Amino acid sequence: MIPYKDDNPSSTLPLVTVSLIILNIAVYLLGVFSPGGQQQVVYFYGAIPHNLITFDKTQPLHPVATIFSSMFLHGGLFHLAGNMLYLWIFGNNIEDRLGHIKFLLFYILSGIVAAYAHTISAPDSLIPMIGASGAVSGVLGAYLLLFPRAGVYTIIFFGFFWQTIKVPAVVVIGFWAIIQIINAIISKSLLNQGGVAWFAHVGGFLFGLLTVRLWMLGRLPSGRLRSLF
């Protein structure tokens, strides 16, 4: 099930969402063409759980700083494309509701919570964590709470055939969330510290789901400003 757009238009230009997408793409390209190679970039700027717990400064970059830098690194083109697709589909509506500055802070804080969710699940891991997945997961959690009935156009595959259908956001994001939780439980039970940081996804998602209403305090719903004048 691959979503590619929703039918939930926003009333403001998603400047932050677009800027984040451009920045992620630019950082990925810089990593690909880095003289030292992408692996060196990952170990330099990636967030290593063990270092975040112990504040071990074996990396040239301070462990806390790697939390932020890691949000803009991706391990491959499909990793980047998947995260940016979800951010493009769902980010504009959350930015519309929160406003540009609050949305940026919400996005970054979702990524921080996600990083530490993974760190707590694998405190001894020396494998760098990279990707915007944790921050984007926060956006998905917020979207699920605010727009559960919004229609999401999705591609469904049936073997060699595919079909485009529109389904409620609660189905698309709910299915995604269940997959993350199941994989997080399995990875923990198998003591698997490599591969995908499933707990980062779960942590970011829960943060977005549980806190987005607090970020909206004091802000009028989208479209209300025009009706006051």
Side-chain angles (χ1 to χ4, degrees):
M1 183 160 40
I2 303 177
Y4 62 93
K5 69 174 183 176
D6 63 1
D7 64 356
N8 189 15
S10 59
S11 61
T12 57
L13 187 65
L15 296 174
V16 175
T17 299
V18 173
S19 297
L20 286 170
I21 292 172
I22 293 173
L23 184 57
N24 274 276
I25 294 173
V27 170
Y28 175 75
L29 292 176
L30 287 174
V32 169
F33 295 105
S34 171
Q38 196 167 11
Q39 184 174 1
Q40 185 182 67
V41 172
V42 167
Y43 274 89
F44 191 102
Y45 294 104
I48 298 177
H50 174 76
N51 294 356
L52 292 177
I53 291 290
T54 63
F55 286 97
D56 186 339
K57 298 181 181 180
T58 54
Q59 285 176 285
L61 198 62
H62 193 282
V64 173
T66 62
I67 298 176
F68 300 95
S69 59
S70 66
M71 293 184 202
F72 298 94
L73 298 175
H74 290 84
L77 189 58
F78 286 106
H79 187 201
L80 172 70
N83 281 335
M84 295 305 100
L85 175 63
Y86 275 80
L87 180 57
W88 171 252
I89 296 171
F90 303 110
N92 63 325
N93 295 110
I94 305 306
E95 182 176 352
D96 191 40
R97 281 296 182 92
L98 300 186
H100 305 305
I101 302 301
K102 278 189 177 182
F103 174 70
L104 179 59
L105 294 175
F106 170 81
Y107 179 89
I108 293 173
L109 195 52
S110 294
I112 295 173
V113 171
Y116 275 103
H118 174 65
T119 297
I120 292 171
S121 73
D124 298 322
S125 176
L126 296 175
I127 301 174
M129 174 179 53
I130 60 173
S133 305
V136 174
S137 296
V139 173
L140 295 181
Y143 196 100
L144 177 63
L145 185 72
L146 298 180
F147 309 104
R149 296 185 179 87
V152 179
Y153 293 90
T154 307
I155 300 174
I156 305 290
F157 290 93
F158 303 96
F160 294 105
F161 303 96
W162 56 274
Q163 178 69 46
T164 300
I165 61 173
K166 184 172 76 169
V167 295
V170 66
V171 174
V172 176
I173 299 178
F175 177 77
W176 173 91
I178 291 172
I179 295 298
Q180 310 312 303
I181 294 171
I182 291 175
N183 279 293
I185 294 172
I186 292 174
S187 68
K188 189 64 176 177
S189 64
L190 296 178
L191 300 178
N192 178 18
Q193 295 183 357
V196 180
W198 298 108
F199 277 96
H201 299 180
V202 174
F205 177 79
L206 290 177
F207 174 79
L209 183 71
L210 298 175
T211 69
V212 66
R213 290 289 188 188
L214 298 177
W215 290 84
M216 293 173 59
L217 292 177
R219 180 174 174 82
L220 290 172
S222 177
R224 287 288 301 279
L225 289 175
R226 294 189 185 91
S227 67
L228 296 178
F229 297 96

